[in-house]
Amino acid sequence: QVHVVESGGGLVQAGGSLRLSCEASGRIFSINAMGWYRQAPGKQRELVAGITRGGSTNYADSVKGRFTISRDNAKNTVFLQMNSLKPEDTGVYYCNLELVTTFPPRPVDYWGQGTQVTVSS
């Protein structure tokens, strides 16, 4: 059984910073891509940032230069450092992990439970 647990959300003033973490545990052979998504009230879930197993990253235009995604493969953990936060960054943030838990390998998407980020103006 696999567990994916997020932490690090909260309430912060505009211009502040938060660091999100997402850790996977259980019977995991490997993790391919890892990413963070967010969903604002009344809007669709959108990709914020992604990182491949090799460390290549991609970001939504709205967060480039402010957010940094990173991963610790030894700890099955992905991070999202969020700086210079804006009220429009408010939403529920979800991590998404492409896990390999079987052999032969067959990647499956797992989602975290979501963590609320609220940025006040």
Side-chain angles (χ1 to χ4, degrees):
Q1 192 171 358
V2 174
H3 297 279
V4 178
V5 179
E6 300 180 26
S7 60
L11 172 64
V12 65
Q13 287 189 333
S17 299
L18 285 173
R19 180 177 169 88
L20 305 182
S21 299
C22 173
E23 181 180 5
S25 60
R27 182 180 169 86
I28 300 169
F29 290 161
S30 64
I31 304 179
N32 295 337
M34 307 173 97
W36 289 95
Y37 290 72
R38 69 185 177 194
Q39 187 164 18
K43 295 187 177 181
Q44 289 188 329
R45 191 174 298 187
E46 63 174 354
L47 176 66
V48 175
I51 184 167
T52 67
R53 183 168 178 80
S56 297
T57 59
N58 64 287
Y59 297 93
D61 288 343
S62 60
V63 307
K64 283 180 181 177
R66 300 188 298 121
F67 290 11
T68 302
I69 188 171
S70 60
R71 61 190 287 169
D72 184 334
N73 290 329
K75 296 182 179 180
N76 293 337
T77 300
V78 61
F79 305 97
L80 186 67
Q81 178 66 45
M82 304 185 294
N83 299 328
S84 302
L85 282 160
K86 304 176 181 180
E88 50 264 43
D89 293 318
T90 294
V92 179
Y93 283 68
Y94 299 89
C95 65
N96 175 263
L97 310 179
E98 188 179 72
L99 303 182
V100 176
T101 62
T102 60
F103 188 85
R106 187 177 62 193
V108 176
D109 275 348
Y110 282 79
W111 290 89
Q113 81 279 10
T115 185
Q116 178 69 44
V117 171
T118 303
V119 184
S120 62
S121 56

